[in-house]
């Protein structure tokens, strides 16, 4: 009877394989998928309801004007509809902060707080792969959600510009700029990265969530302060003033005095002291909007990558 030689190779844990790891993380994040879907549905439903109310109020106001009656009630209804749209934008401004606090901060903090990370790390899984798996799915969810919310904000803005006064809905207005285009998407990813890093360092879920909110609010304020300086400021000097074309972001304006110095309007001692005939205006023009969005988004993403790099370094060196 001949002896048979059995060759037994190394056995790979199902969790450690790429497909198994992806399935595991997808199952674990099913509540996140559900929450993100509900958020997108709520945002789109809110936007649709506000657009509908705005169009109804606008039609009622125009009909009242044509009829020549007392239109105070119609104008009040239109103002209320526009205010509702503004509340919608303020909610979208807060959404990246909430993503960082409720998705990023608990992601690793809960693992460390409960000790469940040890189970994953015993499945022939390196720390680098464990961290990559932790980051990939939430980052994709946040990206899709942020893009959907940005498109909803653009949809709302187009309706408001067609039905109301356009001053508040110009692209340079903070509630519009911060919720429209690519900046809110980049900021959402930064908030997620900051939340993950804070959760890793604090190791407790609730304190990490609170600290993430504070840090993301501070970063939002910092970029709001830096924003006017991201691109060169343009200057116009001449007579008359307020003749610039397109949507401009007026940063400073005033008069040019006889000695050549510039005096902003708010520093004029008296109204007659600012009647020199020559004025100056410093501004960002309409064609600078998308380049500025690109520069700010790049800075936000660089900060996000830096936060992820610090997270990776901490995971490699810290004993769990």
């Amino acid at each position: 009877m001949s002896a048979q030689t059995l060759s037994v190779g190394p056995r790979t844990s199902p969790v450690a394989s790429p497909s198994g790891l992806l399935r595991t993380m997808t199952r674990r994040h099913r509540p996140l998928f559900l929450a993100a879907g509900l958020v997108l549905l709520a945002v789109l439903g809110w936007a649709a309801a506000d657009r509908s109310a705005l169009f109804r109020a606008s039609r009622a106001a125009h009909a009242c004007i044509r009829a020549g009656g007392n239109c105070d009630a119609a104008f009040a209804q239109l103002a209320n509809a526009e205010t509702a749209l503004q509340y919608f934008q303020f909610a979208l401004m807060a959404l990246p902060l909430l993503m960082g606090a409720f998705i990023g901060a608990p992601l690793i903090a809960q693992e460390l707080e409960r000790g469940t990370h040890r189970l994953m790390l015993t499945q022939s899984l390196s720390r680098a792969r464990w961290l990559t798996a932790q980051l990939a799915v939430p980052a994709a969810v946040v990206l899709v959600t942020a893009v959907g919310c940005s498109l909803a904000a653009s949809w709302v803005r187009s309706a408001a510009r067609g039905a109301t006064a356009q001053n508040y809905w110009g692209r340079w207005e903070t509630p519009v700029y911060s919720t429209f285009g690519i900046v809110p998407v980049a900021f959402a990813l930064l908030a997620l990265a900051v939340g993950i890093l804070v959760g890793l360092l604090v190791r407790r879920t609730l304190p990490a969530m609170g600290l993430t909110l504070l840090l993301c609010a501070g970063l939002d304020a910092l970029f709001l302060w830096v924003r006017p300086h991201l691109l060169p400021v343009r200057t116009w000097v001449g007579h008359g003033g307020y003749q610039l074309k397109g949507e401009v972001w007026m940063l400073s304006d005033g008069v040019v005095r006889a000695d050549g110095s510039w005096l902003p309007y708010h520093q004029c001692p008296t109204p007659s002291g600012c009647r020199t005939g020559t004025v100056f205006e410093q501004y960002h023009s309409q064609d600078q909007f998308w380049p500025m969005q690109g520069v700010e988004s790049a800075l936000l993403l660089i900060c996000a990558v830096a936060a992820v790099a610090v997270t990776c370094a901490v995971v490699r060196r810290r004993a769990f």
Side-chain angles (χ1 to χ4, degrees), residues 269-281:
T270 60
S272 60
C274 284
R275 295 175 182 171
T276 63
T278 304
V279 301
F280 73 89
E281 294 173 353

Side-chain angles (χ1 to χ4, degrees), residues 62-73:
H62 284 89
C64 181
I65 293 173
R66 288 193 299 268
N70 186 349
C71 299
D72 290 344

Side-chain angles (χ1 to χ4, degrees), residues 4-306:
Q4 294 181 346
T5 303
L6 299 178
S7 175
V8 180
R11 302 179 64 183
T12 303
S13 170
V15 175
S17 66
S19 59
L21 184 59
L22 179 60
R23 286 194 300 269
T24 300
M25 289 302 171
T26 301
R27 286 196 299 269
R28 290 188 59 196
H29 289 298
R30 277 184 292 191
L32 178 59
F33 297 147
L34 177 61
L38 291 176
V39 167
L40 281 177
L41 286 176
V43 167
L44 292 175
W46 190 355
D50 281 353
R51 278 173 55 96
S52 178
L54 180 65
F55 285 138
R56 286 197 304 270
S58 178
R59 286 194 296 267
H62 284 89
C64 181
I65 293 173
R66 288 193 299 268
N70 186 349
C71 299
D72 290 344
F75 290 152
Q77 183 182 2
L78 181 59
N80 291 336
E82 186 174 12
T83 300
L85 283 179
Q86 293 171 7
Y87 287 151
F88 172 77
Q89 283 194 310
F90 293 145
L92 290 186
M93 288 180 66
L95 190 59
L97 280 67
L98 298 178
M99 288 180 178
F102 287 91
I103 299 177
L107 191 63
I108 294 181
Q110 282 185 347
E111 295 267 357
L112 300 179
E113 201 170 26
R114 298 172 181 174
T116 54
H117 65 288
R118 298 189 182 92
L119 177 62
M120 295 295 294
L121 293 176
T122 58
Q123 303 296 317
S124 302
L125 193 65
S126 67
R127 293 189 177 197
R129 288 185 60 194
W130 171 75
L131 181 61
T132 301
Q134 290 285 349
L135 298 179
V137 175
V141 172
V142 167
L143 178 63
V144 172
T145 304
V147 169
C149 291
S150 177
L151 293 175
S154 176
W155 190 39
V156 164
R157 176 178 178 265
S158 65
R161 287 175 59 81
T164 66
Q166 297 184 4
N167 290 339
Y168 182 82
W169 301 99
R171 64 181 63 194
W172 293 109
E173 296 295 324
T174 298
V176 175
Y177 187 100
S178 298
T179 58
F180 167 63
I182 56 178
V183 163
V185 179
F187 186 64
L189 293 174
L190 173 59
L192 176 69
V194 170
I196 292 171
L197 177 58
V198 171
L200 176 63
L201 297 176
V202 175
R203 303 171 70 95
R204 295 178 59 192
T205 304
L206 290 180
M209 292 172 66
L211 184 56
T212 298
L213 276 176
L214 291 176
L215 287 176
C216 290
L219 286 171
D220 194 15
L222 174 62
F223 276 90
L224 182 62
W225 175 73
V226 170
R227 187 172 296 162
H229 312 288
L230 294 178
L231 290 181
V233 176
R234 296 181 175 175
T235 301
W236 179 88
V237 178
H239 299 279
Y242 302 109
Q243 300 175 13
L244 301 173
K245 303 298 182 181
E247 294 182 55
V248 300
W249 182 5
M250 188 68 68
L251 301 176
S252 177
D253 57 350
V255 298
V256 180
R257 295 188 287 191
D259 60 359
S261 61
W262 291 8
L263 181 67
Y265 285 127
H266 66 273
Q267 295 182 7
C268 291
T270 60
S272 60
C274 284
R275 295 175 182 171
T276 63
T278 304
V279 301
F280 73 89
E281 294 173 353
Q282 294 182 309
Y283 63 97
H284 287 298
S285 61
Q286 180 172 313
D287 61 356
Q288 290 181 299
F289 177 80
W290 288 112
M292 185 175 290
Q293 282 247 332
V295 171
E296 184 169 347
S297 298
L299 292 176
L300 290 167
L301 291 177
I302 288 172
C303 293
V305 171

